[in-house]
Amino acid sequence: MNIIISKIRERMNVTVLIQTLLAIVMPVGVYYGITVDDITSWSKLLNIFVQALLNPAVIIAICISLWQTFNNPTVCKFSIPEKVEIEKDLYDNKNIED
Protein backbone atom coordinates (compact mmCIF):
# COMPACT_ATOMS: atom_id res chain seq x y z
CA MET A 1 0.00 0.00 0.00
CA ASN A 2 2.85 2.40 0.83
CA ILE A 3 4.39 1.74 -2.58
CA ILE A 4 1.18 2.81 -4.33
CA ILE A 5 0.91 5.98 -2.25
CA SER A 6 4.54 6.89 -2.89
CA LYS A 7 4.11 6.41 -6.65
CA ILE A 8 1.02 8.64 -6.65
CA ARG A 9 2.91 11.31 -4.70
CA GLU A 10 5.79 11.17 -7.20
CA ARG A 11 3.50 11.73 -10.16
CA MET A 12 1.18 14.34 -8.67
CA ASN A 13 2.03 17.95 -9.30
CA VAL A 14 0.15 21.20 -9.07
CA THR A 15 -0.89 21.15 -12.72
CA VAL A 16 -2.46 17.69 -12.47
CA LEU A 17 -4.31 18.63 -9.28
CA ILE A 18 -5.70 21.84 -10.81
CA GLN A 19 -6.75 20.02 -13.99
CA THR A 20 -8.49 17.34 -11.93
CA LEU A 21 -10.32 19.93 -9.83
CA LEU A 22 -11.43 21.82 -12.96
CA ALA A 23 -12.47 18.56 -14.62
CA ILE A 24 -14.94 18.03 -11.77
CA VAL A 25 -16.09 21.61 -11.16
CA MET A 26 -16.46 22.95 -14.72
CA PRO A 27 -19.04 20.43 -16.03
CA VAL A 28 -21.22 21.17 -13.00
CA GLY A 29 -20.93 24.91 -13.54
CA VAL A 30 -21.64 24.69 -17.25
CA TYR A 31 -24.60 22.33 -16.89
CA TYR A 32 -26.34 24.47 -14.28
CA GLY A 33 -25.27 27.80 -15.81
CA ILE A 34 -23.69 28.95 -12.57
CA THR A 35 -22.38 32.48 -12.30
CA VAL A 36 -20.58 34.18 -9.44
CA ASP A 37 -23.85 35.83 -8.41
CA ASP A 38 -25.50 32.42 -7.98
CA ILE A 39 -22.99 31.29 -5.37
CA THR A 40 -23.68 33.46 -2.35
CA SER A 41 -23.33 30.85 0.40
CA TRP A 42 -21.72 27.51 1.08
CA SER A 43 -25.13 25.86 1.43
CA LYS A 44 -26.12 26.88 -2.11
CA LEU A 45 -22.81 25.58 -3.45
CA LEU A 46 -23.23 22.29 -1.60
CA ASN A 47 -26.82 21.99 -2.86
CA ILE A 48 -25.64 22.42 -6.46
CA PHE A 49 -23.03 19.66 -6.09
CA VAL A 50 -25.58 17.31 -4.47
CA GLN A 51 -27.91 17.92 -7.43
CA ALA A 52 -24.98 17.23 -9.77
CA LEU A 53 -24.26 13.88 -8.11
CA LEU A 54 -27.89 12.86 -8.66
CA ASN A 55 -27.85 13.83 -12.35
CA PRO A 56 -26.50 11.14 -14.74
CA ALA A 57 -25.75 13.67 -17.49
CA VAL A 58 -23.45 15.64 -15.19
CA ILE A 59 -21.74 12.47 -13.94
CA ILE A 60 -21.06 11.40 -17.54
CA ALA A 61 -19.70 14.88 -18.36
CA ILE A 62 -17.40 14.71 -15.32
CA CYS A 63 -16.17 11.24 -16.33
CA ILE A 64 -15.42 12.40 -19.87
CA SER A 65 -13.64 15.47 -18.52
CA LEU A 66 -11.53 13.35 -16.16
CA TRP A 67 -10.71 10.97 -19.01
CA GLN A 68 -9.45 13.89 -21.07
CA THR A 69 -7.37 15.08 -18.12
CA PHE A 70 -5.53 11.79 -17.62
CA ASN A 71 -5.56 10.36 -21.12
CA ASN A 72 -2.29 10.60 -23.01
CA PRO A 73 -2.96 9.80 -26.68
CA THR A 74 0.76 9.32 -27.40
CA VAL A 75 0.93 6.06 -25.42
CA CYS A 76 -1.16 2.90 -25.34
CA LYS A 77 -1.92 2.92 -21.62
CA PHE A 78 -3.91 4.97 -19.13
CA SER A 79 -1.78 6.65 -16.47
CA ILE A 80 -1.42 9.73 -14.36
CA PRO A 81 0.90 12.15 -16.21
CA GLU A 82 4.46 12.13 -14.98
CA LYS A 83 6.49 15.24 -14.32
CA VAL A 84 7.30 17.11 -17.49
CA GLU A 85 10.76 16.37 -18.79
CA ILE A 86 12.49 17.65 -21.88
CA GLU A 87 12.65 15.04 -24.61
CA LYS A 88 16.39 14.53 -25.05
CA ASP A 89 16.01 12.75 -28.36
CA LEU A 90 14.48 15.89 -29.88
CA TYR A 91 17.76 17.69 -29.30
CA ASP A 92 20.23 14.81 -29.56
CA ASN A 93 18.84 13.24 -32.71
CA LYS A 94 21.95 12.32 -34.72
CA ASN A 95 20.07 10.03 -37.12
CA ILE A 96 18.89 12.83 -39.38
CA GLU A 97 20.51 12.50 -42.77
CA ASP A 98 21.37 15.55 -44.82
Side-chain angles (χ1 to χ4, degrees):
M1 187 67 167
N2 290 334
I3 295 171
I4 295 171
I5 293 172
S6 66
K7 286 185 178 184
I8 289 173
R9 284 184 181 163
E10 286 176 10
R11 293 182 179 187
M12 283 297 181
N13 56 35
V14 175
T15 304
V16 173
L17 293 175
I18 291 171
Q19 286 179 336
T20 304
L21 179 68
L22 289 174
I24 295 169
V25 172
M26 291 307 293
V28 175
V30 170
Y31 185 82
Y32 290 107
I34 298 172
T35 63
V36 178
D37 297 332
D38 296 333
I39 305 171
T40 56
S41 68
W42 288 108
S43 63
K44 284 186 179 182
L45 186 61
L46 181 62
N47 187 24
I48 289 170
F49 277 100
V50 168
Q51 289 176 2
L53 290 175
L54 299 174
N55 189 336
V58 176
I59 297 297
I60 291 170
I62 290 172
C63 291
I64 291 170
S65 187
L66 286 171
W67 173 259
Q68 291 173 342
T69 299
F70 293 115
N71 185 29
N72 183 357
T74 61
V75 295
C76 294
K77 62 180 183 177
F78 180 82
S79 66
I80 296 173
E82 301 214 13
K83 293 181 180 177
V84 177
E85 296 180 12
I86 296 175
E87 296 276 341
K88 289 183 180 179
D89 57 6
L90 291 176
Y91 299 103
D92 298 335
N93 194 350
K94 306 289 185 200
N95 297 329
I96 300 176
E97 297 180 23
D98 295 333

